[in-house]
Amino acid sequence: MHHTPLVILIASVLASGCAASHSNDVAVPPPRRAVLYQYSVIDGLLAGVYDGDLTMAELKQHGDFGLGTFNALDGELVLLDGVSYQIRADGSVRVAPDGERSPLGFATFFAPTQTFTLDAAVTLADLQAELARRLHPNAAYAIELRGRFANLTARSEDPGTRPYPEMAAHMAAHEHRFPLTNFEGVAAGFWLPPYLGRVNVPGLHLHCLSSDHRAGGHLLEFLSAGRLTIRVMELDVVELAISKHPDFQAVDLAHDRKRSLEQIEHTPR
Ligand SMILES: [Zn+2]
């Protein structure tokens, strides 16, 4: 995937060099942009749109790192090193087939621009405070954590059945929390500004996977044990693919669902 863009870049530099000899314009090749690709919007999921047309194969064309969910809201999705993992309500983990579909997914090609470590035992709230100190409040970032955790709580949920209720109502009855101890693994996700709050999850949103690929989910809280390595990638562009699924086309998204998002994500900023 790196070879073709490089060839194009060289070709465009050569072409612009020729063009420059015939005019006063200095053509500069466009910089490579760090793109957060997303299919559909968080407000759709909150409103009960649990089905979409995004396949895992398509999601992976737009990134090797990210998160989301699956059709019918059948568990949590974490995309790591180009592999999409599904963590179901019973806590089981499997590699999702390429044809599996999703109503909501976020991805980028992860290329960290800064790395830092935290050696003291920290909680998710401590990490959020540290990120708030280090990062620009109105910028957007992909975030990866690696390390060991004395304890960690992840969650998944039962799939919905039609007619789908709004997500807050579904989660009140169907969320499953997994209190895990001595968890070693990785978490992938995003740190996004408040103004993206109706299309994505503002603040820190992480999905985790254990090193042995046997546990994970939407990350709710943790206490680290030993060194935690945090890699950060600043994003330049958000590319939003609008769902063409009939459920999405029919749903009423006129009002703000911020409060139900806070209730579900448990990730205050
Ligand atoms: Zn999540």
Side-chain angles (χ1 to χ4, degrees):
M1 91 193 174
H2 293 296
H3 293 102
T4 306
L6 185 62
V7 169
I8 293 166
L9 187 67
I10 291 165
S12 69
V13 167
L14 291 172
S16 66
C18 294
S21 67
H22 296 290
S23 80
N24 294 325
D25 294 336
V26 178
V28 176
R32 292 192 66 164
R33 301 179 307 170
V35 178
L36 165 56
Y37 168 86
Q38 68 172 83
Y39 171 85
S40 202
V41 298
I42 190 70
D43 272 19
L45 200 72
L46 294 172
V49 177
Y50 299 167
D51 290 331
D53 294 317
L54 175 72
T55 64
M56 290 304 104
E58 283 178 276
L59 181 64
K60 290 186 283 186
Q61 285 173 8
H62 297 281
D64 56 8
F65 173 103
L67 54 79
T69 186
F70 296 89
N71 271 10
L73 198 60
D74 189 6
E76 304 282 338
L77 160 64
V78 59
L79 176 61
L80 283 167
D81 299 322
V83 181
S84 54
Y85 299 91
Q86 180 177 20
I87 301 103
R88 286 204 160 113
D90 63 359
S92 66
V93 180
R94 68 164 189 162
V95 174
D98 277 352
E100 195 80 18
R101 286 174 192 269
S102 167
L104 184 68
F106 312 121
T108 191
F109 288 103
F110 191 63
T113 47
Q114 58 172 294
T115 300
F116 64 95
T117 57
L118 296 173
D119 289 317
V122 294
T123 64
L124 181 61
D126 296 332
L127 174 64
Q128 287 172 319
E130 184 65 26
L131 291 171
R133 273 193 291 276
R134 290 173 175 267
L135 305 179
H136 302 296
N138 293 328
Y141 303 88
I143 306 280
E144 183 207 69
L145 309 186
R146 279 180 191 276
R148 285 200 314 114
F149 302 85
N151 53 68
L152 177 152
T153 304
R155 74 108 192 272
S156 187
E157 55 281 325
D158 297 316
T161 51
R162 286 181 175 272
Y164 297 136
E166 292 217 359
M167 193 176 167
H170 179 76
M171 296 302 275
H174 294 283
E175 180 182 74
H176 296 268
R177 295 189 176 197
F178 313 128
L180 304 164
T181 54
N182 297 317
F183 182 98
E184 183 183 337
V186 57
F190 301 95
W191 169 263
L192 299 177
Y195 60 81
L196 288 177
R198 291 185 68 177
V199 298
N200 206 313
V201 178
L204 186 59
H205 182 200
L206 296 166
H207 288 188
C208 62
L209 183 70
S210 63
S211 299
D212 61 9
H213 296 181
R214 295 179 68 160
H218 173 103
L219 184 53
L220 291 174
E221 58 188 20
F222 63 72
L223 179 66
S224 66
R227 173 167 292 185
L228 193 60
T229 301
I230 299 99
R231 298 200 294 166
V232 177
M233 171 192 187
E234 185 165 3
L235 298 161
D236 298 316
V237 173
V238 178
E239 181 183 354
L240 172 56
I242 298 166
S243 173
K244 299 295 189 286
H245 192 281
D247 288 0
F248 184 80
Q249 290 177 325
V251 73
D252 181 359
L253 297 178
H255 74 269
D256 191 341
R257 289 180 166 79
K258 187 178 176 199
R259 284 188 61 190
S260 78
L261 178 62
E262 285 166 354
Q263 195 180 327
I264 290 162
E265 299 296 337
H266 314 283
T267 49
R269 180 157 180 161

